[in-house]
Amino acid sequence: MNRTPSSTAPEREPADRAAGAGPDGGTSLSNGLKQRHLSMIALGGVIGAGLFVGSGAGIAAAGPSIVIAYAISGCLVMLVMRMLGEMAAANPASGSFSVHAERSIGPWAGFTAGWMFTALLCVAVAAEALGAADIMVGWFPGTEPWMWVLLFMVIFCATNLAAVGNFGEFEFWFATLKVAAIGIFLILGLLAIFGVLPGTDAPGASHLTGDGGFLPKGVDGLMVGLLASVFAYGGLETVTIAAAESKDPVRGVASAVRTAMWRIALFYVGSMAIIVTVIPWSAPEITKTGPYVAVLDYLKIPAAGQIMNVVILIALLSAMNANIYGSSRMAYSLTARGQGPRFLSKVSGGVPRRAVLLCSVFGFFTVVLSIVWPDTVFQWLLNMVGAAVLVVWGFISVAQLRMRRRLEREAPERLVVRMWAFPFLTWVALAGIAAVLLLMLRDEAQRIQLYFTGGFALALTAIGLVRQKLAARD
């Protein structure tokens, strides 16, 4: 475990010993991300395609109690983000939680968390590319999905190869459009609830208490909704990775973490409350067309389906862009710390271009697998990373538990962001993660994902431990 220096300058990742090495290993990464980029990435990063589409399954399972499910899972995510923010503000690093896990737990932990997260993002790129291609094929019936996948992969690979500022600019405008869309939806929903939107009547609490009540499928339904909501929050970790390439990473992380609470409450919990208040939770349109389209159709908004398709496409493209960025930076950080092939740690023009190319190629290769072997190889990949975010959250919690004690003892001035009610809420977060894992055992599909992810995590852990022992002998 590396000791934290007592100076006030933020500690970066271990420096490469090669000539011209920068603070992150190889040639240093640039600091081309502006504060407005980070602010909007933090604001819009919480709004993903999973919210617009995937939330329908949660509503169908939990009914109006989906609001409680999103609130509970949102609290867990806020605790995890607060812990991550504390560590990232104290020690900004492009490897984020992988670096913190390595320093606080051991090299094997950084290796496991980092490569699991990298794999998760690469597979996610494929899933998002396919979703975006399906929308484009719907608009242009004479085209094939692979054409759009190739186009999107080339665009975002080129964007990430050029300069980090390009990634930031794309994400800024993507996030702006997503925030505007969800903001308009929330305003329309509130107007409808209060009966001031033309052509609609105030529903009152009829949809919350009718149709089987607030818990129409009992606690079991709430638990299914809880699982669905947990995985909708994935991707929030990217802002702490991006902060390391900004001119003021401490300020960027602190700002993002401190606003996490109201963003989650407004975008997720707030929109769920509006959906189940405006229309019946049992409406077939919720799962058929998606909950947001169902509400807009109910409110007689013209071309509601196409409007939401545009928003979903933006969310998918935003996620692709962010995941190529996040996976490449994590792969770069791992290799710069000797946790992977050294050639990936080379940086040119402030960008780890080899890591960007590798992650982009793997993402496109995964798309090929989804077309050739959709029910075998691609499904295995999806299962292997199905619960990866929970493994990452577990490492974040344990790392913060150990790092906080050390920072309080050696460098308390670095605790710009502090975890609430430490260590009590850290233990609450760990208990919450364990509870979600136990809930996954109750559902067959979730259980399979848990087994695959567990096997993948154990394999990475074994490799990490062997590498750690070999390094100790040298």
Side-chain angles (χ1 to χ4, degrees):
M1 182 186 301
N2 297 327
R3 288 176 60 84
T4 304
S6 58
S7 71
T8 56
E11 179 184 0
R12 299 271 181 164
E13 293 170 47
D16 192 306
R17 298 181 186 275
D24 286 277
T27 304
S28 62
L29 297 176
S30 71
N31 58 355
L33 289 179
K34 301 175 182 177
Q35 187 59 39
R36 68 180 177 89
H37 292 154
L38 282 182
S39 298
M40 196 52 74
I41 289 170
L43 188 61
V46 76
I47 307 172
L51 173 64
F52 293 117
V53 181
S55 56
I59 294 172
S65 67
I66 192 66
V67 178
I68 303 299
Y70 269 89
I72 293 172
S73 58
C75 287
L76 174 60
V77 173
M78 282 190 285
L79 294 179
V80 172
M81 284 300 296
R82 189 75 183 187
M83 289 185 283
L84 182 55
E86 177 183 287
M87 294 186 291
N91 299 311
S94 63
S96 188
F97 51 83
S98 173
V99 173
H100 308 320
E102 179 176 326
R103 290 172 178 162
S104 301
I105 305 171
W108 70 268
F111 178 89
T112 302
W115 284 116
M116 175 159 278
F117 189 72
T118 302
L120 167 64
L121 295 189
C122 287
V123 175
V125 166
E128 287 142 3
L130 289 168
D134 285 343
I135 293 175
M136 297 304 293
V137 169
W139 290 341
F140 303 96
T143 59
E144 295 291 334
W146 68 265
M147 299 177 183
W148 296 107
V149 169
L150 180 59
L151 175 63
F152 295 145
M153 292 299 297
V154 168
I155 289 174
F156 293 119
C157 179
T159 297
N160 279 277
L161 282 172
V164 70
N166 289 344
F167 158 75
E169 205 62 31
F170 264 93
E171 280 306 291
F172 176 83
W173 291 109
F174 279 149
T176 299
L177 291 170
K178 288 189 293 182
V179 170
I182 199 76
I184 292 171
F185 175 84
L186 291 171
I187 292 171
L188 290 173
L190 286 173
L191 291 176
I193 289 172
F194 290 108
V196 295
L197 191 70
T200 60
D201 297 321
S206 60
H207 297 318
L208 297 176
T209 57
D211 304 310
F214 191 74
L215 277 165
K217 297 187 178 181
V219 177
D220 285 343
L222 175 61
M223 294 301 101
V224 175
L226 179 61
L227 284 176
S229 64
V230 165
F231 296 105
Y233 288 106
L236 290 175
E237 306 85 359
T238 303
V239 70
T240 61
I241 297 174
E245 292 186 74
S246 67
K247 294 180 180 178
D248 192 351
V250 175
R251 178 189 170 200
V253 168
S255 175
V257 170
R258 285 169 180 157
T259 58
M261 182 178 294
W262 72 261
R263 285 185 284 118
I264 289 173
L266 179 65
F267 295 143
Y268 277 86
V269 182
S271 59
M272 288 301 107
I274 283 176
I275 290 167
V276 295
T277 302
V278 172
I279 59 176
W281 68 269
S282 55
E285 293 80 12
I286 286 181
T287 52
K288 184 178 180 181
T289 62
Y292 291 81
V293 174
V295 170
L296 293 177
D297 279 337
Y298 175 81
L299 299 180
K300 299 180 176 60
I301 304 298
Q306 290 305 319
I307 292 172
M308 283 311 303
N309 272 338
V310 172
V311 174
I312 292 168
L313 177 65
I314 290 170
L316 288 166
L317 296 180
S318 172
M320 280 185 67
N321 189 36
N323 288 341
I324 290 174
Y325 170 83
S327 59
S328 65
R329 290 330 188 259
M330 185 61 74
Y332 154 76
S333 174
L334 286 161
T335 55
R337 290 180 279 129
Q339 299 276 31
R342 196 69 176 175
F343 76 94
L344 290 177
S345 63
K346 181 175 175 58
V347 175
S348 57
V351 176
R353 292 190 171 123
R354 293 179 181 179
V356 170
L357 281 172
L358 177 69
C359 294
S360 299
V361 168
F362 183 79
F364 189 74
F365 177 65
T366 308
V367 172
V368 175
L369 294 179
S370 72
I371 296 172
V372 180
W373 296 293
D375 300 322
T376 52
V377 179
F378 186 61
Q379 189 59 47
W380 293 344
L381 286 173
L382 289 176
N383 285 334
M384 280 195 338
V385 300
V389 70
L390 293 172
V391 176
V392 169
W393 290 354
F395 277 115
I396 290 172
S397 301
V398 175
Q400 188 271 336
L401 196 63
R402 303 189 68 175
M403 184 178 286
R404 173 65 175 268
R405 300 291 193 195
R406 187 157 54 103
L407 286 171
E408 287 179 332
R409 185 174 63 252
E410 299 177 1
E413 68 278 5
R414 289 192 183 177
L415 290 170
V416 180
V417 177
R418 289 176 178 263
M419 178 60 181
W420 306 298
F422 177 83
F424 173 72
L425 286 182
T426 299
W427 285 108
V428 168
L430 278 168
I433 294 166
V436 173
L437 291 171
L438 289 175
L439 283 176
M440 291 183 72
L441 291 172
R442 298 181 54 180
D443 181 81
E444 183 178 354
Q446 301 276 2
R447 192 185 309 129
I448 292 172
Q449 285 190 359
L450 185 58
Y451 291 158
F452 269 84
T453 303
F456 185 37
L458 287 174
L460 287 174
T461 298
I463 296 171
L465 287 170
V466 170
R467 290 176 59 88
Q468 182 174 317
K469 288 183 178 180
L470 291 174
R473 293 176 182 175
D474 296 338

